[in-house]
Each structure stands twice: as structure tokens, then as C-alpha cells.
Amino acid sequence: MAGDDGEAVRNKQVIFRDYVSGFPKETDMEVRESAMKLRLPEGSNGILVKNLYLSCDPYMRNRMKKLDVPSYRDSFQPGSLITGYGVARVLESGHLNFKKGDLLWGFTGWEEYSLTTAPETCFKIAHADVPLSYYTGLLGMPGMTAYAGFFNVCSPKKGETVFISAASGAVGQLVG
């Protein structure tokens, strides 16, 4: 935990090495260690967290390619930290919606500790009575996508029969 002096810790990070063609391989990424002070910058409204679970989602494969056309998510840049959804514990907060000790899920780095400067991408976990790892799947981004797709896009009416193929990936499996 952070002390008043901003204790320095080792922070393991997963770095994206270079654009991928085909399936990603272990060598497309590397683990690096850096030093990090466990202290928010003065006046920051960010959140300093200890990451507990990190999600590896299918959309990330496209982020590992060099995209020639704009997409809803930019490509990872070679030499940069891989980012995605995860579950974390708040160590220090400059944001009104989060306090030390809160559990949250949202967009974070693939690293042990992260400084989130966009707290609006994070959601407080109100129900810790299920395994926290569920927030990287069923209760996380794939689950929210499945829920919105089924109820808002499909919008089935009582009595209708709906066919959902699990071949549509993680989201299809959750809807099913």
C-alpha cells in the first residue's frame, strides 16, 4: 500500500513488441519491470490501483494488427503497454466516486499497478459476493455486450424463438 512518501515498488508490465499477422504468440509481447511510486500526482482526479485480474478479450487481437482504416479502438503501438479490461483494488483516489479499498472494473494496463487518469472508464464493484474474475467475463465487457445485444438490439418479444450461435464467440456463449 502507498505510504505518505509514495513508496516505490517494482511494477511488472506486459509490453506489445510489434504488429502481429495471424495468431499472436508469446514472443509478440514481453514482460518488463519498472519502478513506480505509489502516489497520485498532486491535484489529480485519477485513481491508483493494484490490478487483481486482467481480461484477454477477442477484440484485442485486432488491436495487435496495424490497422489501415479507423476502428472503434486504435491499434496497440509497438513498445507500448498493453491495455484492456480488468479488476482492481483502489490504493489511492483523487476522484469523488472512488475511495481507498474500493474494488472496481474497467479499462486498465496489463501491469501490477496502474494510474487511471480516466476514472469515467471504471465502475465500482458493488457485489463482491461472486468471484471477482467474473467481472472480466460474464459481469464485464463481454457480458455487457451480450446483454445489450440481446435486449436492446435483438429485443425479443414474449413467445418469440431466438436462435443464438455460440460460434459467435464469448459474447454468443454468454447470451446462450
Side-chain angles (χ1 to χ4, degrees), residues 7-69:
E7 165 190 4
V9 295
R10 293 182 316 188
N11 190 28
K12 285 186 184 175
Q13 302 175 307
V14 179
I15 305 298
F16 180 63
R17 293 184 76 183
D18 203 358
Y19 296 114
V20 172
S21 61
F23 289 105
K25 304 176 297 305
E26 186 176 335
T27 55
D28 295 323
M29 297 160 259
E30 69 177 296
V31 176
R32 288 188 193 160
E33 214 171 81
S34 64
M36 178 179 189
K37 284 207 175 239
L38 293 183
R39 191 77 177 147
L40 279 176
E42 191 67 36
S44 171
N45 77 331
I47 308 167
L48 181 66
V49 299
K50 165 75 170 138
N51 290 310
L52 305 173
Y53 294 95
L54 299 171
S55 182
C56 186
D57 297 310
Y59 81 93
M60 296 173 82
R61 184 172 173 201
N62 274 342
R63 295 192 69 197
M64 293 181 172
K65 297 180 192 174
K66 184 173 176 85
L67 299 177
D68 297 325
V69 294

